[in-house]
Amino acid sequence: MTTGDASLSNLSVTPSDNGVMLSGDLVVWTLGALAPVSPSARIDLSGLSRLDTAGAWDLVARRAAGADLVGLSAGHARLLDTVAEALPLRKADPAPDPRWRRLLVATGARVVGALRYLAQLAEYLGRVLAALARGLRRPSRFPMTSLVHHAQQTGLRAVPIVAVMSFLIGVVLAYQGSDQLRQFGAEVFVVDLIAISILRELGILLTAIVVAGRTASALTASIGSMKMRQEIDAMRTLGLDPDMVLILPRVLALVVMLPILGLISALSGLIGGAVMSWVELGISPAVFLARLADISVTHAIVGLLKAPVFALIIGVIGCHAGMQVGKDAESLGRMTSSAVVSAIFAVIIADAAFSIFFAQVGL
Amino acid sequence: MSGDPVIRVRGLRTAFGSHVVHDDLDLDLRRGEILGVVGGSGTGKSVLLRAIVGLEATQAGSIEVLGRQIGALSGDDRRALEQRWGVMFQDGALFSALTVRENVEVPLRAVPSLTDAQREGLAELKVSMAGLPWKANADFPADLSGGMRKRAGLARALALDPEILFLDEPTAGLDPIGATAFDRLIVTLRDALNLSVFLVTHDLDTLHACCDRVAVLAERRVLTTGTMADMLTVDHPWVHEYFHGPRARAATGKE
């Protein structure tokens, strides 16, 4: 008695008086051959050699539909009973709601979900600030080592990519700007173009986007894998505060390092622009510097003011996503990619809000 | 309970680098029996299971399953043989992106003649035979408890009505009631489906409740095989300690 092999099983269905006669194997591989037989036909099974649970399941369904099963051997009858006993009790699905109602429910659920997400981010921001206050009150508890470690991870390690990227952006701006400005004979204003766009917007925004991609994913992955292996639960039972030990140093490191990275980015963008202006337009570095000195310092201040806010956004979103990781590895991957997307999106929204705000206050 | 063995292992040698796990190991699994494989941690119980189903490379010896040499098979022959056994891994090894029912449907998709409705119905039958409630069908593995994941893994292993069922620590991590229910389920399924079961376990209660024979792995080979009663008379320090320890006495109900 063997079961399971497609090449070894065959079933022959021969019509007999008011029904069919089966001989051979009624197994999962041959179930298709029985399909055309009317469900309530009389079935003679005396020639059946093999029967598996799939065949028995089909026969049980036919018996329930009114088929007359004859010639069942004792062993096969036992299998039929076993299967009939194990048949799942289907609960009738409730009638689906009308389409407009489902649409409304889905929309409402998404809106509530988005609001709840914002509320949770606000909660995490509050937890970071509370942990910071606790840490300042009791400096001995402040996670200084951890802060330095994360400052190195998120800050120092990001310097090369940020510097190279900004240098190239400066080059692109100088090249494209000079091309357009030359038509008006206003090549020298390319310095203003480079300085204002890099100091005010591009330097810090692109740095924040790179850091969001680099660090938000790392935050979610590191906190999420700790969450997955119950390390965070273990911390709580040992009297360690995850807000203080995990979240505060990571967010604070970002808040400290992002303005520095922004400054590096601005400098390197200006250098890139200066180099390209010299090569393309013949504006010497001395002239470039002289023009640069005329540009109001408020542009640089506006740019650097945004950095800590972007850092808070990235840190809070990354840590929040890490704490939402469930028990399976799949949720870790899902939360990591969603953290990056949310962080970049939120940074750009915040930048737009800043633009409007600074325009209103006249900076 | 007799007849030719469905699994015949002769002179098996497996090693990881210089660390030899099995050396000259012989083992038979007879048709229709439940064979419990026991041994201390690190004696290669799971490695033996993996070697038999072809997941682990072997250095020497022969493994014959249902009359076919593992390792000599290729392509279609191997796939045909794989459809005649089912493996339940320790934590179920369910595909995390699929629901329980879809997990059980995966092996059924190899059957070309099944309609979608038949496949779903059969998957739900297997889920129910493994002792899960109907509503578990739509759950994802992450939503299930450890015991339920094991049952879902069993349902998937049983999907194609295999002849041989490999179980790796089926009751590890279950509470005593769940473990007892699982033991009973294995025996019931064996009787109903005429399975031959290769069961790797640490659980003395499972050995008592299910196994027709026990094979003890020690010193890189199968030290001894026999019924539970035979085990009590074996004169080997580890075997004696294992089957006469306080837990063994509790399991047999003897003082």
Side-chain angles (χ1 to χ4, degrees):
Chain A
M1 178 162 169
T2 54
T3 47
D5 194 342
S7 55
L8 291 179
S9 15
N10 54 75
L11 175 74
S12 64
V13 183
T14 39
S16 66
D17 44 325
N18 64 30
V20 292
M21 202 175 139
L22 300 186
S23 57
D25 315 312
L26 182 57
V27 294
V28 63
W29 301 96
T30 57
L31 214 52
L34 195 58
V37 177
S38 142
S40 57
R42 176 190 151 93
I43 301 177
D44 187 346
L45 298 162
S46 48
L48 205 62
S49 56
R50 286 203 287 139
L51 181 71
D52 71 354
T53 51
W57 172 75
D58 197 77
L59 291 178
V60 167
R62 282 165 189 279
R63 190 167 61 184
D68 192 9
L69 308 179
V70 293
L72 207 59
S73 77
H76 292 165
R78 227 176 12 247
L79 185 57
L80 237 63
D81 291 342
T82 310
V83 168
E85 226 169 86
L87 271 187
L89 290 171
R90 273 172 187 264
K91 293 206 183 65
D93 289 327
D97 291 329
R99 200 183 160 78
W100 63 267
R101 198 188 155 94
R102 270 181 291 158
L103 198 68
L104 209 61
V105 167
T107 313
R110 292 296 287 270
V111 170
V112 170
L115 291 177
R116 190 168 293 152
Y117 180 58
L118 287 180
Q120 282 176 1
L121 289 184
E123 181 203 325
Y124 271 77
L125 180 62
R127 279 161 69 163
V128 170
L129 295 178
L132 180 62
R134 280 202 302 278
L136 292 179
R137 256 209 341 250
R138 290 213 205 107
S140 61
R141 289 236 189 131
F142 196 81
M144 202 59 203
T145 319
S146 186
L147 175 67
V148 173
H149 170 76
H150 289 292
Q152 180 183 3
Q153 286 294 322
T154 60
L156 206 58
R157 296 267 163 88
V159 167
I161 182 170
V162 164
V164 171
M165 179 198 67
S166 305
F167 183 88
L168 293 176
I169 292 292
V171 167
V172 169
L173 275 179
Y175 192 77
Q176 296 294 332
S178 66
D179 229 28
Q180 297 298 319
L181 292 171
R182 193 180 287 141
Q183 298 173 17
F184 309 104
E187 292 100 317
V188 79
F189 284 106
V190 82
V191 181
D192 301 63
L193 172 76
I194 293 168
I196 294 176
S197 50
I198 284 196
L199 289 178
R200 209 182 162 97
E201 287 290 338
L202 290 181
I204 189 59
L205 181 63
L206 291 175
T207 307
I209 288 173
V210 167
V211 169
R214 218 178 145 272
T215 307
S217 59
L219 291 184
T220 309
S222 70
I223 294 181
S225 62
M226 286 182 178
K227 183 89 194 301
M228 224 163 71
R229 287 188 305 233
Q230 294 189 308
E231 286 176 44
I232 294 186
D233 296 341
M235 275 182 190
R236 288 213 174 94
T237 59
L238 294 172
L240 293 169
D241 178 5
D243 293 347
M244 180 71 109
V245 181
L246 293 179
I247 298 180
L248 178 65
R250 285 168 167 82
V251 176
L252 207 57
L254 263 174
V255 172
V256 173
M257 294 314 286
L258 197 60
I260 301 179
L261 284 175
L263 201 63
I264 292 172
S265 161
L267 276 177
S268 135
L270 290 177
I271 293 172
V275 169
M276 202 60 199
S277 308
W278 197 12
V279 173
E280 180 72 12
L281 297 170
I283 300 175
S284 73
V287 176
F288 193 94
L289 268 180
R291 291 285 313 171
L292 197 61
D294 290 344
I295 307 247
S296 162
V297 75
T298 51
H299 296 305
I301 293 173
V302 163
L304 288 181
L305 271 181
K306 295 192 262 190
V309 179
F310 290 170
L312 267 181
I313 290 173
I314 296 168
V316 166
I317 287 179
C319 292
H320 169 262
M323 295 297 256
Q324 302 305 306
V325 168
K327 276 187 238 159
D328 55 329
E330 212 194 3
S331 71
L332 180 61
R334 202 174 50 237
M335 289 320 293
T336 305
S337 69
S338 111
V340 173
V341 173
S342 307
I344 291 178
F345 187 62
V347 161
I348 292 174
I349 288 185
D351 193 53
F354 267 123
S355 294
I356 297 169
F357 170 75
F358 285 128
Q360 291 293 321
V361 301
L363 269 175
Chain B
M1 302 276 153
S2 61
D4 53 325
V6 289
I7 297 178
R8 187 202 302 267
V9 180
R10 290 290 176 268
L12 178 73
R13 179 187 169 90
T14 55
F16 298 109
S18 60
H19 174 62
V20 178
V21 184
H22 305 126
D23 196 14
D24 199 17
L25 180 147
D26 297 345
L27 184 72
D28 284 336
L29 175 66
R30 299 176 194 152
R31 187 170 292 284
E33 77 169 347
I34 300 180
L35 174 72
V37 177
V38 301
S41 297
T43 50
K45 304 182 295 291
S46 295
V47 175
L48 178 61
L49 189 158
R50 290 169 59 85
I52 294 174
V53 298
L55 290 172
E56 208 77 68
T58 59
Q59 269 67 41
S62 76
I63 301 172
E64 209 174 281
V65 179
L66 298 164
R68 317 291 296 267
Q69 282 283 343
I70 298 283
L73 294 175
S74 59
D76 291 344
D77 284 347
R78 187 173 163 83
R79 212 159 307 131
L81 185 60
E82 278 168 353
Q83 281 162 354
R84 294 170 69 184
W85 73 46
V87 186
M88 192 200 96
F89 292 95
Q90 232 186 77
D91 195 35
L94 300 169
F95 304 122
S96 56
L98 303 179
T99 64
V100 168
R101 189 183 61 213
E102 288 164 345
N103 262 286
V104 182
E105 281 183 50
V106 170
L108 287 168
R109 284 180 192 278
V111 186
S113 59
L114 285 184
T115 62
D116 286 357
Q118 279 178 323
R119 199 167 48 230
E120 274 179 28
L122 278 175
E124 284 175 10
L125 171 69
K126 295 292 148 76
V127 169
S128 151
M129 283 182 91
L132 287 169
W134 185 70
K135 67 177 173 52
N137 278 302
D139 285 341
F140 283 93
D143 307 330
L144 301 178
S145 67
M148 291 173 90
R149 271 204 299 277
K150 281 177 193 282
R151 283 170 186 269
L154 181 64
R156 189 177 68 183
L158 290 173
L160 284 175
D161 275 282
E163 289 165 69
I164 309 174
L165 185 61
F166 294 93
L167 302 171
D168 194 359
E169 305 259 3
T171 52
L174 297 189
D175 65 87
I177 299 171
T180 308
F182 211 98
D183 292 344
R184 215 173 293 139
L185 176 68
I186 292 168
V187 176
T188 312
L189 289 174
R190 191 271 309 265
D191 294 343
L193 310 175
N194 194 28
L195 295 165
S196 315
V197 182
F198 183 101
L199 191 156
V200 171
T201 190
H202 264 310
D203 190 337
L204 283 154
D205 293 310
T206 303
L207 290 176
H208 271 283
C210 302
C211 297
D212 303 311
R213 284 196 311 142
V214 177
V216 180
L217 244 61
E219 298 165 6
R220 298 174 188 165
R221 60 198 172 88
V222 175
L223 201 66
T224 174
T225 57
T227 61
M228 280 301 280
D230 296 340
M231 289 301 122
L232 296 173
T233 62
V234 173
D235 188 27
H236 178 276
W238 191 86
V239 180
H240 191 270
E241 180 74 32
Y242 193 91
F243 290 99
H244 289 271
R247 285 164 186 278
R249 279 203 297 278
T252 50
K254 286 184 205 152
E255 276 308 306

